[in-house]
Amino acid sequence: MMKSLIAFNPFFRQHAPASPFRVMVRKEVGDHIRSWRFIIMLVLILLTFIGAMYVSLSNIRKAATNLNDPDRIFVYLKLLTTSDNTLPTFHIFISFLGPLLGIALGFDAINAEKNNGTLIRLMAQPVYRDNLLLAKFYAALKVIGTLFFSLVLLMIGGGMIITGAPLEASELFRILAFAVLSVIYVGFWLSLAITLSVKFRHAATSALTAIGIWLFFTIFYQIIVNMIMNAILPDPAYLQQDSIIAYNNLVLSLLRVAPSQLYTDAATTLLMPSVRSLGPLTMEQMAGAIPAPLPLKESLMIVWPQVTGLLAATTACFALAYFLFMRREIRT
């Protein structure tokens, strides 16, 4: 009878107690927004966004009138890809700062609760253990998504005010797809940081491990792959065309193990509609090809393997964190 009253009476629905999961999500979102580390990362991302937009707007006329560029008609995409080599474009900044944002929001998600003694008290309440881990991940991802979509709306609004150019539907969908891709990319590093926070007891250890993994894939991994491939494979100058293409595809496949490479490939394809392939092409494939922008559907088909790889890596990291957390003893 009481359930029927709650279901059909708006008064009861308004005053019904919130679920423990929603309460934990609301609490985590508030903690993230008020934390100094998030404020510092927010300031850094805003400064890079303002700098990249200033450089893009300063060179937007030149980019829009370049007759040799098939993407010149996409003014709002040019705001995210135009640069005069003084500053990198915005998606390059995100590929560098995005992992730091994810690590900052997740490196002490569990071990800080354990060290402060609040984990035992929280688990003594009528809440499921897996809801705690899911709330930590969902709250941080919610903050990240709000940040990126807010930056996208600021970019679109500023572009409309300054340039006065109309926003095409294809541009809007590409920009939104780029925002979703950025959230997925940062979400991978967030899930990795949460996994390390479950594995290690001290927050400093999990933070240093996550930063070490980020530095390895960002700086050292490409150097190591190129050194190994140059030492093993013959000189490309003495290879046939098919062998050179196979060699380049092998190098690209190894480089795409790095999440930053997957993100850069996908972001470039989404923001530059004229990109038709992420690998080397033969002369036969290039013969007769007209340089023209691809439809959004075709670009999504090109970047789908990269997006799937990021989603799979994020799911694997979160599944490992779930497995470790569910088997961990929290009373000692």
Side-chain angles (χ1 to χ4, degrees):
M1 184 67 180
M2 182 59 66
K3 293 182 179 179
S4 300
L5 288 174
I6 294 175
F8 292 100
N9 195 324
F11 177 80
F12 282 103
R13 287 202 301 268
Q14 287 181 350
H15 295 81
S19 64
F21 178 77
R22 292 183 179 179
V23 173
M24 289 188 290
V25 169
R26 193 180 304 118
K27 183 257 183 188
E28 292 295 329
V29 170
D31 290 343
H32 286 315
I33 293 175
R34 290 187 294 267
S35 64
W36 276 105
R37 57 188 172 187
F38 175 74
I39 294 174
I40 293 173
M41 291 303 305
L42 177 63
V43 171
L44 287 176
I45 292 177
L46 284 177
L47 288 177
T48 56
F49 174 77
I50 294 172
M53 290 301 104
Y54 176 78
V55 173
S56 298
L57 289 171
S58 301
N59 297 274
I60 191 64
R61 182 183 297 274
K62 180 179 179 181
T65 56
N66 185 8
L67 299 178
N68 296 323
D69 188 3
D71 298 332
R72 64 184 182 276
I73 60 176
F74 300 102
V75 177
Y76 291 90
L77 295 182
K78 283 297 180 184
L79 292 178
L80 294 171
T81 57
T82 301
S83 177
D84 58 355
N85 296 324
T86 58
L87 283 177
T89 56
F90 182 62
H91 74 276
I92 300 298
F93 275 123
I94 293 301
S95 67
F96 185 79
L97 293 177
L100 294 180
L101 176 62
I103 292 171
L105 295 181
F107 75 93
D108 62 344
I110 301 299
N111 47 25
E113 299 277 2
K114 176 71 174 178
N115 296 331
N116 294 333
T118 56
L119 184 60
I120 298 178
R121 297 178 184 178
L122 186 58
M123 289 294 97
Q125 305 300 318
V127 296
Y128 294 107
R129 180 183 287 200
D130 54 350
N131 275 354
L132 173 63
L133 192 66
L134 187 60
K136 295 278 187 181
F137 180 75
Y138 177 72
L141 202 65
K142 188 176 181 180
V143 172
I144 294 168
T146 303
L147 172 62
F148 281 110
F149 280 99
S150 299
L151 292 178
V152 164
L153 293 177
L154 284 175
M155 186 273 295
I156 294 175
M160 286 183 175
I161 294 174
I162 295 175
T163 64
L167 177 63
E168 301 293 337
S170 59
E171 288 183 280
L172 176 61
F173 289 135
R174 284 182 179 274
I175 293 173
L176 293 179
F178 166 71
V180 173
L181 174 66
S182 300
V183 173
I184 294 173
Y185 175 62
V186 179
F188 162 74
W189 294 101
L190 171 65
S191 63
L192 177 63
I194 292 177
T195 303
L196 296 175
S197 74
V198 176
K199 177 63 178 177
F200 299 107
R201 293 183 178 272
H202 299 287
T205 306
S206 60
L208 289 175
T209 305
I211 292 175
I213 295 173
W214 166 67
L215 287 175
F216 172 77
F217 281 113
T218 304
I219 300 176
F220 300 106
Y221 181 72
Q222 183 176 1
I223 298 175
I224 293 173
V225 169
N226 290 330
M227 290 176 59
I228 293 176
M229 298 305 294
N230 291 332
I232 295 177
L233 295 178
D235 189 354
Y238 299 97
L239 297 177
Q240 300 294 327
Q241 182 181 4
D242 296 339
S243 301
I244 294 176
I245 293 176
Y247 167 80
N248 291 331
N249 285 329
L250 178 60
V251 174
L252 287 175
S253 299
L254 293 175
L255 291 177
R256 284 169 184 159
V257 175
S260 58
Q261 184 67 35
L262 294 177
Y263 172 76
T264 302
D265 290 346
T268 302
T269 306
L270 289 175
L271 298 178
M272 297 180 180
S274 60
V275 175
R276 294 177 171 269
S277 175
L278 294 175
L281 298 175
T282 62
M283 296 301 296
E284 291 79 7
Q285 292 173 328
M286 297 176 60
I290 301 175
L294 289 177
L296 176 60
K297 181 179 178 181
E298 300 294 333
S299 297
L300 291 177
M301 292 178 62
I302 293 174
V303 304
W304 184 245
Q306 281 73 19
V307 177
T308 304
L310 288 175
L311 287 174
T314 305
T315 305
C317 288
F318 188 78
L320 179 59
Y322 184 90
F323 173 78
L324 295 175
F325 186 64
M326 295 299 289
R327 292 174 59 88
R328 183 174 180 177
E329 178 60 48
I330 64 174
R331 292 174 296 180
T332 58

